[in-house]
Amino acid sequence: MTANTQETNIQELKLVWMEEAIRLATNSVTNGGGPFGALVAKDGEVVAIGNNMVTATLDPTAHAEVSAMRAACKELATFSLEGCVLVTSCEPCPMCLSSALWARFDRIIYAADRHDAAVAGFDDRKFYDLFEKKPASMWPMPVERLDLPNRTAPFDAWLAKSDRIDY
C-alpha cells in the first residue's frame, strides 16, 4: 500500500467515524441525553461509544467523551488508551480534553466547535479561557477539527426538543 493510499484510507475512516459520532449525538437527544456523541477507535476499529448522559444520570462528568473512554478502558482492559483515537461530535470541553490527555490518546478529532455549542446553550467558553495559556501546537497530541456540513445536527435536534433540560 502506498503512502498516498494509506492516507486516503485514514481520511475515509475519520469521516466514517465522525458521521457515527454525529449520529450518536443526534440519537442521544432523542433518547433523553445531551447532544454529544463520541467513540474510541483503535487499529481502524471502533472499540467503544458514548453519549452525554449528564441530566439522565445526574452526573456532571457523564460527558460523551468520558463515557466512551470508560467503555474503551473496560473493553481493552487497560487504563491507557495509547494507540487509540477519540472521535467526538463536538470540541471536547476542558474536562474531557484533560481526561483524554490522561488517557494518552494518540489523537482527538471533533466536528462542531465551542462556538457551535454556545449557540445551542452549551456555553463553556469561560472554561476554555482558563486553559488557553499554551497553544495547541505545543500539546502532547494532535487535536484536529473536521468541519462537516452536518456538524450542528445534534444541536439542531436539541433546540427542537421541547422537553429538554437546559444546563
Side-chain angles (χ1 to χ4, degrees):
M1 180 181 299
T2 67
N4 198 20
T5 303
Q6 187 175 7
E7 181 59 29
T8 299
N9 289 343
I10 290 169
Q11 291 303 323
E12 288 173 3
L13 269 177
K14 287 180 187 179
L15 289 173
V16 167
W17 291 337
M18 187 57 68
E19 289 292 342
E20 176 64 6
I22 292 169
R23 186 191 68 73
L24 288 165
T26 305
N27 287 348
S28 179
V29 172
T30 303
N31 296 320
F36 302 92
L39 63 85
V40 175
K42 184 173 184 166
D43 300 328
E45 300 292 327
V46 174
V47 296
I49 61 172
N51 65 290
N52 180 286
M53 296 299 293
V54 169
T55 60
T57 62
L58 306 177
D59 178 355
T61 68
H63 290 202
E65 298 90 340
V66 172
S67 298
M69 285 183 239
R70 289 174 178 158
C73 288
K74 285 181 183 174
E75 179 66 26
L76 299 171
T78 182
F79 60 86
S80 173
L81 296 175
E82 194 171 341
C84 295
V85 177
L86 176 63
V87 182
T88 181
S89 63
C90 188
E91 181 177 8
C93 73
M95 177 188 71
C96 292
L97 182 58
S98 297
S99 298
L101 289 167
W102 276 108
R104 309 291 194 260
F105 279 98
D106 286 2
R107 161 180 314 272
I108 298 172
I109 305 168
Y110 68 93
D113 66 16
R114 63 186 78 172
H115 307 292
D116 295 321
V119 169
F122 297 90
D123 193 356
D124 297 337
R125 290 178 288 195
K126 63 183 175 239
F127 302 138
Y128 289 102
D129 291 346
L130 295 171
F131 292 88
E132 294 284 322
K133 304 289 187 239
K134 192 176 231 184
S137 62
M138 297 180 69
W139 293 3
M141 77 176 99
V143 178
E144 171 187 1
R145 181 173 184 217
L146 290 181
D147 188 7
L148 275 67
N150 63 340
R151 74 181 188 278
T152 60
F155 297 130
D156 297 340
W158 176 257
L159 290 172
K161 186 175 175 68
S162 63
D163 63 343
R164 70 180 180 266
I165 300 172
D166 292 325
Y167 62 99

